Amino acid sequence: MRPSTLVRLGMAAVVVILSGCGTDSPSHPHTSAGVRAPSGQASVATGVRLASRASAQVATLASSLRAIDVHMRMITTRTGLLWGYRANRFVMYETADGGHTWKSVPLPTLPTDDVSAYGPGGAHDVAAVIDSSTMWSLVSVSRQAARVWITKDAGRHWRETTLALPAGAIQFAAGQWMAGRLGWMLFESAGYGGVAAKYLYRTENGGNSWQLVATSTGDLPHNGVRTAMSFAPNGKTGLMVVVDDLEKEVDVVETNDGGLHWQPTSISLPSGITQPPSVELVLAGPGEALQLAIEVQVGSASQLLVMNSSYGSNWDVAEIGVDNLEAMCASPAGDLAALEDKSGQQTWMVSPDSGQTWYTQTAVGLPASVADAASVDLSSPSPNAFFLVALDARLSPTLYESSDAGDTWQPLG
């Protein structure tokens, strides 16, 4: 599956943009080889209008927005955010009419990132962690310190704090907010030789103060830089998943005290995996429910493994063969949804029972060209509403919306 942010839980980062459904982010790749010097300050981006009539604004949209990755979070069926980079400057846009029109969000002074040379992610990359339509935060790492900008009024005012990091922590890995009060931020080292120490911080007062609560010298995984994390609504049960590219394995740890202590858990992957696995979904749900979706390559065949557990219990595994998985997320009702390119046709897949049974149909309205997209991101703010943004080979974005649970799709711009 291509890089995508399934962002119902909100984690991410980009290069021009417009991040699941699901947890921000499910995985957060980094391409940085080390700490880079900041190259300047970003200015507030100008507004971009995405028209409801595709034919009216496609040219303007294609010329205004260029990206090498894309992140989107629709918070309701009407409100949502798009964010990333234009050139080396982070930009963010918001919609209040279901994605038909967008306007730029006023941003604080942010560091720039030489994404043209390094790609998205890594040191100085600005990441967004979304809590609601009015509260979100931006995070950037430089010189053993994290700068965190928090707004609680949809960008009209920002509060900046600086968080000292341990030596070697040079990049942001994952984050989550909950009800504007509880928050978690995970930082890690560069991952030379596959080793990437993890450092988890927690706040209980909306970011006024942060505490280092877990590290790789204790309970957290030590290898791999493709990390996903999710906490349940109870603020206690949590899941962290890290892909170990060298060993072609996935390390999984669970917590039931809000991240203070973690325990490793064993999951069963097929033998003969030929490529590093790809984490498609990480979700800690109501109570102590945990869910994980992993795509693996065994020989020439791809398999999607959907795993379910409750805290401290064994994982049940459901397996389905896939041709070319493009995006995946969970709806607020808990249904799983995935988009697959099957023999050149866009196919919509839905599972109402945690991956045990899947129903497939042609994704009416989604062109075959989506299969060639450089990036696809999927978001579901309600059980029947899905939004998809795809970048073509020329890095021009197109937005699609479905109001009937994925049966039919319409372009928004």
Side-chain angles (χ1 to χ4, degrees):
M1 176 179 171
R2 297 181 196 68
S4 66
T5 8
L6 310 174
V7 298
R8 188 165 64 87
L9 296 175
M11 336 179 181
V14 226
V15 163
V16 165
I17 280 179
L18 287 174
S19 322
C21 180
T23 286
D24 139 289
S25 186
S27 60
H28 184 79
H30 298 295
T31 55
S32 169
V35 177
R36 307 195 296 276
S39 56
Q41 302 295 337
S43 61
V44 176
T46 57
V48 175
R49 181 179 178 86
L50 309 184
S52 57
R53 292 176 298 173
S55 60
Q57 289 289 336
V58 166
T60 301
L61 174 62
S63 61
S64 299
L65 298 174
R66 295 287 172 175
I68 65 173
D69 195 5
V70 63
H71 297 263
M72 172 180 57
R73 168 76 182 275
M74 293 302 295
I75 300 166
T76 71
T77 56
R78 302 286 295 174
T79 61
L81 296 164
L82 299 168
W83 67 90
Y85 280 88
R86 172 177 297 156
N88 62 352
R89 302 185 177 202
F90 182 88
V91 293
M92 178 178 279
Y93 304 92
E94 61 180 345
T95 182
D97 59 6
H100 294 285
T101 60
W102 298 82
K103 65 178 181 179
S104 60
V105 172
L107 297 176
T109 301
L110 302 172
T112 55
D113 190 31
D114 192 4
V115 293
S116 61
Y118 293 94
H124 300 114
D125 174 53
V126 176
V129 183
I130 311 301
D131 178 63
S132 67
S133 59
T134 57
M135 181 189 174
W136 56 83
S137 62
L138 306 177
V139 189
S140 181
V141 179
S142 178
R143 299 184 180 91
Q144 258 67 70
R147 298 173 65 187
V148 182
W149 298 267
I150 299 174
T151 180
K152 296 186 178 182
D153 57 8
R156 288 188 291 273
H157 300 89
W158 294 86
R159 173 171 53 87
E160 180 182 353
T161 59
T162 300
L163 179 62
L165 300 179
I170 69 164
Q171 53 197 9
F172 178 76
Q176 184 177 343
W177 283 109
M178 188 173 297
R181 180 179 60 86
L182 281 177
W184 298 266
M185 290 191 181
L186 181 69
F187 302 91
E188 62 190 3
S189 58
Y192 296 117
V195 177
K198 310 289 189 297
Y199 308 91
L200 180 65
Y201 288 79
R202 171 185 163 111
T203 181
E204 297 181 2
N205 54 20
N208 293 326
S209 61
W210 296 85
Q211 293 79 41
L212 179 63
V213 295
T215 71
S216 294
T217 59
D219 304 331
L220 299 184
H222 200 269
N223 295 338
V225 294
R226 290 192 288 140
T227 305
M229 179 179 69
S230 175
F231 284 88
N234 62 15
K236 296 180 179 180
T237 308
L239 181 66
M240 187 183 299
V241 183
V242 185
V243 176
D244 187 334
D245 287 339
L246 296 182
E247 300 295 330
K248 299 184 180 66
E249 296 178 349
V250 175
D251 294 325
V252 180
V253 291
E254 305 172 11
T255 182
N256 203 29
D257 59 10
L260 302 180
H261 302 89
W262 297 79
Q263 66 173 28
T265 186
S266 177
I267 62 173
S268 298
L269 297 182
S271 59
I273 294 178
T274 56
Q275 298 291 332
S278 174
V279 176
E280 306 299 339
L281 180 70
V282 174
L283 182 60
E288 297 184 340
L290 303 173
Q291 191 168 63
L292 173 62
I294 300 174
E295 185 182 10
V296 297
Q297 186 81 18
V298 180
S300 60
S302 294
Q303 299 175 8
L304 179 64
L305 309 177
V306 180
M307 306 181 180
N308 292 274
S309 176
S310 58
Y311 173 77
S313 301
N314 294 331
W315 289 78
D316 296 325
V317 182
E319 177 183 317
I320 181 174
V322 292
D323 289 349
N324 182 12
L325 188 64
E326 297 171 309
M328 183 176 180
C329 73
S331 78
D335 295 347
L336 300 183
L339 183 67
E340 178 187 13
D341 174 40
K342 187 179 289 292
S343 302
Q345 185 176 70
Q346 293 297 300
T347 302
W348 184 244
M349 306 164 53
V350 176
S351 174
D353 54 8
S354 300
Q356 299 294 319
T357 306
W358 290 87
Y359 300 91
T360 64
Q361 65 181 55
T362 301
V364 177
L366 288 181
S369 59
V370 172
D372 300 320
S375 177
V376 177
D377 197 29
L378 185 65
S379 183
S380 176
S382 74
N384 291 322
F386 288 86
F387 293 82
L388 182 146
V389 59
L391 297 175
D392 65 18
R394 299 173 60 187
L395 305 181
S396 298
T398 305
L399 278 75
Y400 300 89
E401 179 262 347
S402 172
S403 58
D404 53 13
D407 289 349
T408 58
W409 295 81
Q410 299 81 33
L412 293 179

